[in-house]
Each structure stands twice: as structure tokens, then as C-alpha cells.
Amino acid sequence: MTLQTPQPPPSALRAVLAALDDESALSKPAAAALRHAPGPLLPAHPLAVYVLEGSALATARRTGWRFLIKHGPADIVAAADVVEAAGQGHVFSHFAAGPYLDSTVHALRQAWQLAQGSRTPRRPRLLSMPGHYATALWLSGGDPDAADDLLIPLSPAPLGVTAHRIYQAAELLTALERPPLGGAAMALGRS
């Protein structure tokens, strides 16, 4: 597999760079690590962001781009999301912090390792699955029906899904559709 790193549109990169220079954007709580970072902040690892609201990967829609923000050669300190705005190109949405940062970097490393031994081209994307409270690195093979696509769930992953396990897309989506614990109802507070 070869990994084809996506090139974001220039308007997406401009929106992130403008946000990194905007005091009001940097004053938000999720940007706390950016305010105290020694040295220049650089957007890196751009990923197209897709949202899956149904059960078929082919219906996922692109909503924008996520850039991991780093200072120094390797330290990822935040993420910056931009969204597509009709007639305006891309506009800054928000900074993000939390466990998905390290998990995204981990999944990208897994994807690069996977790419070493194969000639199948893959494009990394970020797939948000809000109905399942899950996010995954989506390694798209370009096939419209997504039959050979791979998904790497980010941590924290929902019950019944192993974070950072490489799944065939259909396998993970089927697992997410099954209720946890084999459909048994959980009675909280009862023994």
C-alpha cells in the first residue's frame, strides 16, 4: 500500500494560519497549549474530515479539513479544524485538544507502516461517526463502493471496538451497528 498524503486547498491552509495569528481564536480553552508553546506553531498532517451519518461508507460527506498543530520537530499540541463555507472557501471552525491528537498520530504511524509492504494506493482521511461516538482514520482505496477501504478506530473507541486495530471498513461498520454485549440490556445501578 502506498499512502497518498492529501493536499488541502489553499483556502483551508490560509484559514488555519490566520487562526494561529488570531488572539480571539487562541483565547479559547482548547487552544491553551498553543498560547504557551515555545517557538513557531506549524500546521501539519492535513486530513480531509468526513462525517458518516448512515451505515454506508460511500455516503460519508466531506465537511472540511483537520490540521495537527505542532511546535518543534515532532510535538503535536492541538488540532485545528476548518469547514467548507459556501462561496467562501474554507473558514476556521475551532481548535481541539484531547486524546484524539495522540491517537491520530498513532494511527498515521500505523498507516505508514502498513504502506511499506504494499503497492495499493490509499488516501488517509478522518472519519467522524457521531451516531456511534467514534472517530477513525479512514484509509480510502478510491473504490466508490469502499469495498477495500480500511478503518483504524481512534482511542477512545466505543464498546466492542478495539482502538488502533486495522479493520476492513465493512467489518467495523457492522460491529458498530451491533448493540454492545450482544444486545443485552444494561441495568445501571442494579446487581
Side-chain angles (χ1 to χ4, degrees), residues 132-149:
H132 301 291
Y133 302 100
T135 301
L137 184 65
W138 174 11
L139 301 176
S140 173
D143 186 356
D145 66 4
D148 66 343
D149 289 3

Side-chain angles (χ1 to χ4, degrees), residues 82-158:
V82 296
V83 294
E84 296 176 17
Q88 298 179 33
H90 291 84
V91 296
F92 174 73
S93 173
H94 63 277
F95 288 113
Y100 281 143
L101 296 178
D102 290 336
S103 190
T104 301
V105 171
H106 183 115
L108 284 168
R109 284 189 190 121
Q110 287 180 278
W112 281 109
Q113 288 174 349
L114 207 64
Q116 299 304 314
S118 174
R119 291 186 177 164
T120 304
R122 304 263 184 201
R123 287 184 302 278
R125 301 171 170 173
L126 198 62
L127 181 66
S128 173
M129 299 171 277
H132 301 291
Y133 302 100
T135 301
L137 184 65
W138 174 11
L139 301 176
S140 173
D143 186 356
D145 66 4
D148 66 343
D149 289 3
L150 302 173
L151 295 174
I152 304 173
L154 301 184
S155 177

Side-chain angles (χ1 to χ4, degrees), residues 16-191:
V16 170
L17 291 172
L20 289 170
D21 285 335
D22 181 358
E23 290 299 321
S24 65
L26 292 172
S27 69
K28 306 289 185 206
L34 298 174
R35 291 190 296 270
H36 306 294
L41 297 168
L42 302 169
H45 308 296
L47 294 168
V49 177
Y50 285 76
V51 175
L52 180 65
E53 293 168 339
S55 59
L57 198 53
T59 65
R61 62 183 172 79
R62 190 173 72 195
T63 59
W65 288 80
R66 173 169 277 200
F67 294 79
L68 299 182
I69 306 299
K70 66 180 188 173
H71 71 85
D75 293 334
I76 302 295
V77 292
D81 285 13
V82 296
V83 294
E84 296 176 17
Q88 298 179 33
H90 291 84
V91 296
F92 174 73
S93 173
H94 63 277
F95 288 113
Y100 281 143
L101 296 178
D102 290 336
S103 190
T104 301
V105 171
H106 183 115
L108 284 168
R109 284 189 190 121
Q110 287 180 278
W112 281 109
Q113 288 174 349
L114 207 64
Q116 299 304 314
S118 174
R119 291 186 177 164
T120 304
R122 304 263 184 201
R123 287 184 302 278
R125 301 171 170 173
L126 198 62
L127 181 66
S128 173
M129 299 171 277
H132 301 291
Y133 302 100
T135 301
L137 184 65
W138 174 11
L139 301 176
S140 173
D143 186 356
D145 66 4
D148 66 343
D149 289 3
L150 302 173
L151 295 174
I152 304 173
L154 301 184
S155 177
L159 287 175
V161 172
T162 304
H164 295 286
R165 177 179 160 214
I166 300 169
Y167 288 86
Q168 289 290 328
E171 177 189 8
L172 178 61
L173 295 174
T174 299
L176 288 170
E177 291 299 320
R178 285 191 299 257
L181 304 174
M186 288 180 51
L188 297 177
R190 296 184 182 183
S191 48

